[in-house]
Amino acid sequence: MRPRATREQLEYVIGLLHENGLTSVSSTMADIVMLITEESVTPDIAATIEKAPGVDRVVVVPGTQRLTSRIFRPEDTRVQVGPAGGPVIGGPEFVVIAGPCAVESAPQMNSVADVVVASGAVVLRGGAFKPRTSPYSFQGLGLAGLTLLAEQRRRTGLPVVTEVVTADDVKCVAEESDMLQIGTRNMQNFDLLRAAGESGRPVLLKRGMSSTIEEWLLAAEYVMHVGNSSVVLCERGIRSYDRSTRFTLDLGAVAEAKRLTHLPVLVDPSHSTGRPHLVGPMSLAAASCGADGLLIDVHTDARNALCDGNQALSGEQFSTLMERLRPVVEAVGRTLARPRSQSLAQV
Amino acid sequence: MRPRATREQLEYVIGLLHENGLTSVSSTMADIVMLITEESVTPDIAATIEKAPGVDRVVVVPGTQRLTSRIFRPEDTRVQVGPAGGPVIGGPEFVVIAGPCAVESAPQMNSVADVVVASGAVVLRGGAFKPRTSPYSFQGLGLAGLTLLAEQRRRTGLPVVTEVVTADDVKCVAEESDMLQIGTRNMQNFDLLRAAGESGRPVLLKRGMSSTIEEWLLAAEYVMHVGNSSVVLCERGIRSYDRSTRFTLDLGAVAEAKRLTHLPVLVDPSHSTGRPHLVGPMSLAAASCGADGLLIDVHTDARNALCDGNQALSGEQFSTLMERLRPVVEAVGRTLARPRSQSLAQV
Amino acid sequence: MRPRATREQLEYVIGLLHENGLTSVSSTMADIVMLITEESVTPDIAATIEKAPGVDRVVVVPGTQRLTSRIFRPEDTRVQVGPAGGPVIGGPEFVVIAGPCAVESAPQMNSVADVVVASGAVVLRGGAFKPRTSPYSFQGLGLAGLTLLAEQRRRTGLPVVTEVVTADDVKCVAEESDMLQIGTRNMQNFDLLRAAGESGRPVLLKRGMSSTIEEWLLAAEYVMHVGNSSVVLCERGIRSYDRSTRFTLDLGAVAEAKRLTHLPVLVDPSHSTGRPHLVGPMSLAAASCGADGLLIDVHTDARNALCDGNQALSGEQFSTLMERLRPVVEAVGRTLARPRSQSLAQV
Amino acid sequence: MRPRATREQLEYVIGLLHENGLTSVSSTMADIVMLITEESVTPDIAATIEKAPGVDRVVVVPGTQRLTSRIFRPEDTRVQVGPAGGPVIGGPEFVVIAGPCAVESAPQMNSVADVVVASGAVVLRGGAFKPRTSPYSFQGLGLAGLTLLAEQRRRTGLPVVTEVVTADDVKCVAEESDMLQIGTRNMQNFDLLRAAGESGRPVLLKRGMSSTIEEWLLAAEYVMHVGNSSVVLCERGIRSYDRSTRFTLDLGAVAEAKRLTHLPVLVDPSHSTGRPHLVGPMSLAAASCGADGLLIDVHTDARNALCDGNQALSGEQFSTLMERLRPVVEAVGRTLARPRSQSLAQV
């Protein structure tokens, strides 16, 4: 539909679709209402609809992707994280998100937040609900962790992203954070994808550790299908036969995803490699192959971390990385996103 | 604890554990109450507890597995599906579960159920809630499908198994079926594992398509950890570089799992190979390498199936398979489970 | 060509092909000379050739496979190993090949050969040239090992199979053994494939550890392309993300290969699983899914073996396996091949 | 040994080793003779040897790697390709090697060589012997191709690298080229590795498509073990379950290999991705994660290429890539190697 199409025009088109035996859902992307129909549309029907008042154009997308496809939307989608004026993922700025794998305590969060803000991260991460392979591992602080994270949001002025593991938690996680993370094990938890989509919050969708690019985009399609177009993809390593690195970071998939979809793509060099000394090289590689930002584990006391401490960067390592990152980001024609003026870094 | 330990004896031991700084959960397996504590138990404490009245023995299990380990429980676990007298998985009988991938309609279910009962399947399968890669694919009939499946349970006398995809659905699925299936995409949906465990129903736990054996057993550990020891594992093919077959059926993992755990293990030759002509050979291979049974897709009109029709056996193919299966099952010293007398087959 | 086609008829057809701009190679399979041409043959030319005297039929094979395809040759190929009267792979008998991974010494070979013959193996295996990942590992005895193997051939009356790793060695290995093994690392060593093919000896072609079924069959095509149709395929496990077992034995590929090609297919349960306790279950599974035989590591002093000792069966384990194997082989309508009367077992 | 150790001193040390029951091989690296012994050396013997005249130090390397290990040689190895003054791989300059996948004809080679020289490639590549999956595919021009490549060496002044597929060809390939390439299918063709090593030419060792990093380094160990320390590693993509890209380019392995070994590491973005539009992003990523250079397929008439044309860059695409590469290379503190003054580019 055209940007200023009226409610009546929209309903007229829905009626037209129904008359022709087509069902439809509507989705809003950058103020433009879109009507998506899943059945095959004949050229005749397409022509009829295209002539209706308020209709901009009819796009028929081949293949399995629809809303996520570059054919449907050629321009890059930009996702605003937190209030206006805050970081935008998918635009000219390269966005670094950092923080601990798990929220553990107020002192830990203070310490890590200070460090990542000082080095230039623009979004804070931290897990309150941790999906763990074993029931005997630390499962996260849950709601208490969420509260600790929200405190950092207030204290630092940085928007926060945190993982949600079940549809029932979406509401409270959406209230206390700026972006909902769907983890690799939940990439095909379709119920959770729909609930996260319906929350209206931006969704950070990690690639399943054995998902194809097509499956990853179709998972994003579930979120967009309920009307939420603020989806940020995140490559975090796939399983291959070689366990020399924890997972195999698939940067070819990042470049290919950028070609297939208009959605922004981040890279997580921490979980993918599982080794601090590889986080630096892989961050630079991600920045130069077209990724829109990074998601990095930082811990100021990695040895005593309750989760994945052996892959976290120290504050000093993170600071060094940020310095090395800047010239590479600029060499590919982008700039490193800076924290907003009211954030802790400027205090 | 010993089989006839009293409630007082149990509470005395829990008190002993607490005095020593240990927390505990209790689990019931074949009428024997077990107390599981997650912290390291010193030999001193173990000796004290072992002397308490009603205590049978203290087992310290090395490695990541606990409740699922053969060290914890050396004998094979037998899982009763449906009312007493019905099929038992993990005992001397080899159990064949069959039915359509998705429940589609009453006539379809009548037709398929007649065919699989006639050929000797002892449990009926059928999906009402289907987790699908694309939001535009058929998602299952939901509650209506559950009702159609329950009708077949009454009509045929066969117990039924069906997939549950979200914790919120566990209660209603548990009411209408005899065993809850956790699909490959949900093997690490820990919230769902706990909810399924708490339902008290037997749980059929499919292996994640890129899960290691250890991760699979730890997922079963989540179900057992909430007190449900009726877990049946199911190998359904893993992802490898070779897509000549849909997935790579990993029968070595079946033999290895049987060694590591006391839980029964089934094989799904339909989803793993994705091709009807491979279902027969892989069924025979599964029967001879130690699997406790099979989960097979059967459809009487595969061409028009709404889900995975291209891998389903026809009624005739299924009947042929059952005939070829019997001598192989007997060659390894087991017998093929038969439907109970009151089932449709004997009418 | 027809079975009794004359040399003149053959040359006439070659002439016909050349006149039409086609080149050709000839291959002999079970006394029937075949002319293979690689270019597209038009229906006109095919019709002309089909009418020529001595021509049986013109077969145009779609896809990448030609000589190995079931379309080209629908009947199972049977490969005679050693002199007439000896074992035939691909016929009604299930053939067990056994022996040590590496030939180490005369006493070792005497001991192992006695054990495998006593339990019913019909071909003896043993490596003289060992391709090893590290230059610092035992590389095999080379020619001396070949001599020790040939001594067992005389002593036991059993045909022998041994690996050849370079084209230059083909001649001497072909003289001292009855079948040439091409190992997994050399499956695409095309120079070696051609040389092995030209030797005229049967070729045992192991699947590359990361080869697709198509690549495996095309490697066999290289051997057949130089005129040698005595090719026996051998599945030996592929690389997957799960290293719980050394490799992932891909029995689905065995069943699929049997459908695509007329060549016999063996299974190596020793290298694939890397664990003695899995060799038994996987041997039974292989026998029941359509494999034509097994290749098993046996060592009478596995603890001191110079190569892969940790996966070898002891003599007793091998004997137990053979007893368990017989009923499974018979359950699928085959018989276990027995050693010929003049072999050691009958002395 | 010390740089000016005499032949007598060397022989004295060899004698010492033998007296202590140790065998040895000698290898020359940057004018320093090294004696390598494979057995465990006791601290006593090490102390005795360290005191002998001419001995610099005794290094005992843990793990499976020896000559390739950073522990054995902490500094980066630099490999000179072609005559002195020509490109050096592993030093401060980032080296781009380009050319067609297969040498096809004199006009093709003239055309491609002109294009790659003009854009700044400093080594020319081109295959004369092509290992192909199918015997019916174009197998390369063989010796004729080698001659065409040598002509370009003379004409352009650029050193050339070409693949060698069998030990028998090493001598003639070494005469006509400046660096011998070992392809992915031959990474564990140990006979070929030894022969290439003995030629004295630098060896470009591609990673096996399903090799671990350890196996790759041990293959390099075979080359170094015969006394040739001019080994250049090349990551070219591994097999994973996802075939969206032809192979999965494993840049984490590049960074990890650079940490484990002193040998230079190149990246082949053409064979790994199999798609021209991914070659650019992956080249930039390689440059920024620590690779020492690139190996790129370029063809001026890709549509009619006889081998892998669908992944080759056109001359224009290659030129654009080189322009985008320079700032990234400089952002990580290196410079792009330039062609020598006498090459065609300056004519």
Side-chain angles (χ1 to χ4, degrees):
Chain A
M1 306 297 292
R2 291 202 183 114
R4 297 185 190 180
T6 63
R7 176 119 212 108
E8 286 69 34
Q9 290 173 337
L10 184 63
E11 279 169 9
Y12 175 75
V13 175
I14 294 175
L16 260 181
L17 288 168
H18 282 206
E19 277 171 32
N20 287 285
L22 301 170
T23 54
S24 63
V25 297
S26 67
S27 181
T28 306
M29 200 188 283
D31 299 327
I32 303 166
V33 174
M34 285 163 296
L35 286 168
I36 303 111
T37 176
E38 297 168 19
E39 294 87 333
S40 302
V41 173
T42 62
D44 276 6
I45 300 174
T48 308
I49 293 169
E50 208 142 42
K51 283 179 210 145
V55 168
D56 184 33
R57 59 199 164 105
V58 172
V59 181
V60 176
V61 184
T64 53
Q65 282 180 263
R66 291 181 200 180
L67 300 170
T68 58
S69 171
R70 278 257 183 222
I71 295 166
F72 181 67
R73 181 179 156 87
E75 323 84 69
D76 286 346
T77 285
R78 298 179 179 200
V79 175
Q80 167 86 50
V81 184
V88 173
I89 307 179
E93 292 191 327
F94 188 82
V95 171
V96 177
I97 302 173
C101 187
V103 174
E104 297 169 15
S105 67
Q108 173 234 20
M109 288 306 294
N110 281 334
S111 167
V112 176
D114 285 357
V115 156
V116 304
V117 169
S119 298
V122 293
V123 181
L124 185 64
R125 58 154 294 170
F129 300 94
K130 303 297 305 173
R132 302 302 299 276
T133 301
S134 165
Y136 309 114
S137 301
F138 173 60
Q139 309 273 318
L141 296 181
L143 291 176
L146 213 52
T147 305
L148 291 174
L149 192 64
E151 277 173 25
Q152 296 302 323
R153 176 159 64 152
R154 279 187 294 275
R155 196 176 70 89
T156 64
L158 255 58
V160 301
V161 55
T162 195
E163 183 163 355
V164 57
V165 299
T166 180
D168 291 344
D169 293 340
V170 164
K171 196 163 166 261
C172 76
V173 175
E175 269 167 23
E176 301 285 2
S177 67
D178 303 282
M179 180 156 59
L180 305 180
Q181 179 179 318
I182 306 281
T184 187
R185 288 169 184 78
N186 281 314
M187 194 202 83
Q188 294 194 317
N189 184 338
F190 303 115
D191 205 51
L192 179 58
L193 292 173
R194 282 192 208 95
E198 283 161 2
S199 76
R201 285 281 187 209
V203 173
L204 177 63
L205 180 61
K206 287 203 159 187
R207 181 183 181 188
M209 61 181 78
S210 69
S211 295
T212 61
I213 298 174
E214 186 185 26
E215 289 163 344
W216 190 20
L217 296 177
L218 285 172
E221 199 86 19
Y222 267 94
V223 180
M224 295 190 72
H225 189 246
V226 295
N228 186 340
S229 59
S230 295
V231 183
V232 177
L233 300 167
C234 182
E235 157 64 21
R236 47 79 66 210
I238 58 172
R239 285 224 152 134
S240 81
Y241 65 86
D242 193 2
R243 308 297 284 262
S244 311
T245 53
R246 192 176 173 202
F247 291 94
T248 299
L249 184 61
D250 186 6
L251 292 179
V254 172
E256 182 69 0
K258 289 294 294 178
R259 189 179 70 91
L260 294 172
T261 184
H262 50 83
L263 297 172
V265 183
L266 301 183
V267 167
D268 177 343
S270 303
H271 284 82
S272 51
T273 64
R275 301 191 175 190
H277 66 265
L278 296 176
V279 171
M282 290 305 101
S283 293
L284 304 188
S288 53
C289 78
D292 297 294
L294 298 167
L295 189 67
I296 298 181
D297 270 25
V298 177
H299 202 290
T300 48
D301 183 17
R303 209 170 279 200
N304 295 309
L306 295 177
C307 177
D308 286 344
N310 54 351
Q311 77 196 19
L313 295 190
S314 67
E316 200 179 311
Q317 288 171 322
F318 180 64
S319 165
T320 304
L321 167 58
M322 292 297 282
E323 280 163 32
R324 294 174 57 205
L325 191 58
R326 186 178 308 276
V328 173
V329 165
E330 288 168 1
V332 295
R334 300 178 85 156
T335 54
L336 204 51
R338 290 160 174 280
R340 290 193 301 163
S341 56
Q342 67 266 45
S343 80
L344 187 72
Q346 271 64 31
V347 177
Chain B
M1 305 297 293
R2 288 199 185 114
R4 297 184 190 180
T6 63
R7 177 117 209 109
E8 286 71 32
Q9 290 173 336
L10 183 63
E11 279 169 10
Y12 175 75
V13 176
I14 293 175
L16 260 181
L17 288 168
H18 282 207
E19 278 172 31
N20 287 284
L22 302 169
T23 54
S24 63
V25 296
S26 67
S27 180
T28 305
M29 199 188 283
D31 297 328
I32 303 168
V33 174
M34 285 164 295
L35 286 167
I36 302 111
T37 176
E38 295 166 21
E39 293 87 335
S40 303
V41 174
T42 63
D44 276 7
I45 301 174
T48 307
I49 293 168
E50 208 144 42
K51 283 178 208 142
V55 169
D56 183 33
R57 61 200 163 105
V58 172
V59 180
V60 177
V61 183
T64 53
Q65 284 180 261
R66 290 179 200 181
L67 301 168
T68 57
S69 171
R70 278 255 183 223
I71 295 165
F72 181 69
R73 180 179 158 88
E75 323 83 68
D76 287 346
T77 286
R78 298 181 179 197
V79 175
Q80 167 86 50
V81 184
V88 173
I89 307 179
E93 291 190 329
F94 187 83
V95 171
V96 178
I97 301 173
C101 188
V103 174
E104 296 168 16
S105 68
Q108 173 235 21
M109 288 306 294
N110 281 334
S111 166
V112 176
D114 285 358
V115 155
V116 303
V117 169
S119 298
V122 294
V123 181
L124 185 64
R125 59 153 294 173
F129 300 94
K130 302 298 305 173
R132 301 303 297 276
T133 299
S134 166
Y136 310 113
S137 301
F138 173 61
Q139 309 273 319
L141 296 181
L143 291 176
L146 213 52
T147 305
L148 290 175
L149 192 64
E151 278 174 25
Q152 296 301 323
R153 177 158 65 151
R154 278 188 294 276
R155 195 176 71 90
T156 64
L158 253 59
V160 299
V161 55
T162 195
E163 183 163 356
V164 57
V165 298
T166 180
D168 291 345
D169 293 340
V170 164
K171 194 161 170 262
C172 77
V173 174
E175 270 167 23
E176 301 285 3
S177 67
D178 303 283
M179 181 156 58
L180 305 181
Q181 180 178 320
I182 307 281
T184 187
R185 287 168 186 78
N186 280 314
M187 192 201 84
Q188 293 194 319
N189 184 337
F190 303 116
D191 206 53
L192 179 59
L193 292 174
R194 283 192 207 96
E198 283 162 1
S199 76
R201 284 285 186 205
V203 174
L204 177 63
L205 181 62
K206 288 203 161 186
R207 181 182 182 189
M209 62 181 78
S210 71
S211 296
T212 61
I213 296 173
E214 187 185 25
E215 290 164 342
W216 189 21
L217 295 178
L218 284 172
E221 199 86 20
Y222 267 94
V223 180
M224 294 189 72
H225 189 246
V226 295
N228 186 340
S229 58
S230 294
V231 183
V232 177
L233 300 168
C234 182
E235 156 66 20
R236 47 78 68 210
I238 59 173
R239 284 226 153 133
S240 81
Y241 66 86
D242 192 3
R243 308 297 284 263
S244 312
T245 53
R246 193 177 173 200
F247 291 95
T248 299
L249 183 62
D250 186 5
L251 292 179
V254 172
E256 183 68 0
K258 288 295 294 179
R259 189 178 71 90
L260 294 172
T261 185
H262 49 84
L263 296 173
V265 183
L266 301 184
V267 167
D268 177 342
S270 303
H271 284 81
S272 51
T273 64
R275 302 192 175 187
H277 65 265
L278 296 176
V279 171
M282 290 305 102
S283 293
L284 303 189
S288 52
C289 78
D292 296 295
L294 298 167
L295 190 66
I296 299 179
D297 270 25
V298 177
H299 203 291
T300 47
D301 183 18
R303 209 170 277 202
N304 295 309
L306 295 177
C307 177
D308 286 345
N310 54 350
Q311 76 197 18
L313 295 189
S314 67
E316 198 178 313
Q317 288 170 321
F318 180 64
S319 164
T320 304
L321 167 58
M322 291 298 281
E323 280 163 31
R324 291 175 59 205
L325 190 58
R326 185 180 307 278
V328 173
V329 166
E330 289 169 358
V332 294
R334 299 178 86 157
T335 53
L336 205 51
R338 289 160 175 279
R340 291 194 300 164
S341 55
Q342 67 266 44
S343 81
L344 187 73
Q346 273 64 31
V347 176
Chain C
M1 305 297 294
R2 292 203 181 112
R4 297 187 188 179
T6 64
R7 176 119 211 108
E8 285 71 31
Q9 289 173 335
L10 183 63
E11 279 169 8
Y12 176 74
V13 175
I14 293 175
L16 260 181
L17 288 168
H18 283 206
E19 277 171 33
N20 287 285
L22 302 170
T23 55
S24 63
V25 298
S26 67
S27 180
T28 305
M29 199 188 284
D31 297 329
I32 303 166
V33 175
M34 284 163 299
L35 286 168
I36 302 112
T37 176
E38 296 167 20
E39 292 88 334
S40 302
V41 173
T42 62
D44 276 8
I45 301 174
T48 308
I49 293 168
E50 208 143 41
K51 284 180 207 144
V55 169
D56 183 33
R57 61 200 163 105
V58 172
V59 180
V60 177
V61 183
T64 54
Q65 282 181 263
R66 289 179 201 182
L67 300 170
T68 57
S69 170
R70 280 254 180 224
I71 296 166
F72 181 68
R73 180 178 158 89
E75 322 84 68
D76 287 345
T77 285
R78 298 181 179 199
V79 174
Q80 168 86 50
V81 184
V88 173
I89 306 178
E93 292 190 328
F94 187 82
V95 170
V96 177
I97 302 174
C101 187
V103 174
E104 297 169 15
S105 68
Q108 173 235 21
M109 288 307 293
N110 281 335
S111 167
V112 177
D114 285 359
V115 156
V116 303
V117 169
S119 298
V122 294
V123 180
L124 186 64
R125 58 155 293 173
F129 300 94
K130 302 297 305 172
R132 302 303 297 275
T133 300
S134 166
Y136 310 113
S137 300
F138 173 61
Q139 308 274 319
L141 296 180
L143 291 176
L146 213 53
T147 306
L148 290 175
L149 192 64
E151 276 173 25
Q152 296 302 323
R153 175 157 69 151
R154 280 188 294 276
R155 195 176 72 88
T156 64
L158 253 59
V160 299
V161 56
T162 196
E163 183 164 354
V164 57
V165 298
T166 180
D168 292 344
D169 293 340
V170 163
K171 195 162 169 261
C172 77
V173 174
E175 270 168 22
E176 301 286 1
S177 67
D178 303 283
M179 179 156 60
L180 305 181
Q181 180 178 320
I182 307 283
T184 187
R185 288 168 185 77
N186 281 314
M187 193 202 84
Q188 293 194 317
N189 184 336
F190 304 115
D191 205 53
L192 178 58
L193 292 174
R194 284 192 206 94
E198 283 161 2
S199 77
R201 285 283 186 204
V203 174
L204 177 63
L205 180 63
K206 287 204 161 187
R207 182 182 179 188
M209 62 181 78
S210 69
S211 295
T212 60
I213 297 173
E214 186 185 26
E215 290 164 344
W216 190 21
L217 296 177
L218 285 171
E221 198 87 21
Y222 267 94
V223 180
M224 294 190 72
H225 189 246
V226 296
N228 186 340
S229 58
S230 295
V231 183
V232 176
L233 301 167
C234 182
E235 157 65 22
R236 49 77 68 209
I238 60 172
R239 284 224 153 136
S240 81
Y241 66 86
D242 193 3
R243 308 297 284 261
S244 312
T245 55
R246 194 177 174 199
F247 291 95
T248 299
L249 183 62
D250 186 6
L251 292 179
V254 172
E256 183 68 1
K258 289 294 296 179
R259 188 179 71 91
L260 294 172
T261 184
H262 50 83
L263 296 173
V265 182
L266 300 184
V267 167
D268 177 342
S270 303
H271 284 81
S272 51
T273 65
R275 302 191 174 188
H277 66 265
L278 295 176
V279 171
M282 290 304 102
S283 293
L284 303 189
S288 53
C289 78
D292 297 296
L294 298 167
L295 189 67
I296 297 179
D297 270 25
V298 177
H299 202 291
T300 49
D301 183 17
R303 210 170 277 203
N304 296 308
L306 295 177
C307 177
D308 285 345
N310 54 350
Q311 77 195 19
L313 294 190
S314 67
E316 200 178 310
Q317 288 171 321
F318 180 64
S319 164
T320 304
L321 167 58
M322 292 298 281
E323 281 163 31
R324 292 174 58 204
L325 191 58
R326 185 178 309 278
V328 173
V329 165
E330 289 168 359
V332 293
R334 300 179 85 156
T335 54
L336 205 52
R338 292 160 173 278
R340 291 193 302 163
S341 55
Q342 67 267 44
S343 80
L344 188 72
Q346 274 64 32
V347 176
Chain D
M1 304 297 293
R2 293 206 180 107
R4 296 187 190 179
T6 63
R7 175 120 211 107
E8 285 71 32
Q9 290 173 334
L10 183 63
E11 280 170 7
Y12 175 75
V13 176
I14 295 176
L16 261 181
L17 288 169
H18 282 207
E19 277 171 31
N20 286 285
L22 302 170
T23 54
S24 64
V25 298
S26 67
S27 180
T28 305
M29 199 188 285
D31 296 329
I32 303 167
V33 174
M34 285 164 296
L35 286 167
I36 301 113
T37 175
E38 296 167 21
E39 293 87 337
S40 301
V41 174
T42 63
D44 277 7
I45 300 174
T48 308
I49 293 168
E50 209 143 43
K51 284 180 209 143
V55 168
D56 183 33
R57 61 198 162 104
V58 172
V59 181
V60 177
V61 184
T64 54
Q65 282 180 263
R66 290 181 200 179
L67 301 169
T68 57
S69 172
R70 278 256 181 221
I71 295 166
F72 182 68
R73 180 179 159 87
E75 322 83 69
D76 286 346
T77 286
R78 297 180 180 199
V79 175
Q80 168 85 51
V81 184
V88 173
I89 306 179
E93 292 190 327
F94 188 83
V95 171
V96 177
I97 302 173
C101 187
V103 174
E104 297 169 15
S105 68
Q108 173 235 21
M109 288 307 293
N110 281 334
S111 166
V112 176
D114 286 358
V115 155
V116 303
V117 169
S119 298
V122 294
V123 181
L124 186 63
R125 57 154 294 173
F129 300 94
K130 303 298 305 173
R132 302 303 297 277
T133 299
S134 165
Y136 311 113
S137 300
F138 173 61
Q139 309 273 317
L141 296 180
L143 291 176
L146 214 52
T147 305
L148 290 174
L149 192 65
E151 276 174 26
Q152 295 302 326
R153 176 157 68 151
R154 279 187 295 275
R155 194 175 72 90
T156 64
L158 254 57
V160 299
V161 54
T162 196
E163 183 164 355
V164 57
V165 297
T166 179
D168 292 344
D169 293 340
V170 164
K171 195 162 169 262
C172 77
V173 174
E175 270 168 23
E176 301 286 1
S177 67
D178 302 283
M179 180 156 59
L180 305 181
Q181 179 178 320
I182 307 281
T184 188
R185 288 169 185 77
N186 280 315
M187 193 202 84
Q188 293 195 317
N189 184 337
F190 303 115
D191 206 54
L192 178 60
L193 291 174
R194 283 193 207 95
E198 283 161 2
S199 76
R201 284 282 186 208
V203 174
L204 177 63
L205 180 62
K206 289 205 160 185
R207 180 181 182 190
M209 63 182 75
S210 70
S211 295
T212 61
I213 297 174
E214 186 185 26
E215 290 164 344
W216 190 21
L217 296 177
L218 285 171
E221 199 85 22
Y222 267 94
V223 179
M224 294 189 72
H225 190 246
V226 296
N228 186 340
S229 58
S230 295
V231 183
V232 177
L233 300 168
C234 182
E235 157 65 21
R236 47 78 67 211
I238 60 173
R239 284 223 153 137
S240 81
Y241 66 86
D242 193 2
R243 308 297 283 262
S244 311
T245 54
R246 193 178 173 200
F247 291 95
T248 299
L249 183 62
D250 186 6
L251 292 178
V254 172
E256 183 69 2
K258 288 295 293 179
R259 190 179 70 91
L260 294 172
T261 185
H262 50 83
L263 296 173
V265 183
L266 300 184
V267 167
D268 177 342
S270 303
H271 284 82
S272 50
T273 65
R275 300 190 177 190
H277 67 264
L278 296 176
V279 171
M282 290 305 102
S283 293
L284 303 189
S288 53
C289 78
D292 297 295
L294 298 168
L295 189 68
I296 298 179
D297 271 25
V298 177
H299 202 291
T300 47
D301 183 16
R303 209 170 279 200
N304 295 309
L306 295 177
C307 177
D308 286 344
N310 53 350
Q311 77 195 19
L313 295 191
S314 67
E316 199 179 310
Q317 289 170 320
F318 180 64
S319 165
T320 303
L321 168 59
M322 291 299 280
E323 280 162 32
R324 293 175 57 203
L325 191 58
R326 185 179 309 276
V328 173
V329 165
E330 289 168 0
V332 294
R334 301 180 84 157
T335 53
L336 205 51
R338 289 159 174 281
R340 290 193 302 163
S341 55
Q342 67 266 43
S343 78
L344 187 70
Q346 272 65 31
V347 176

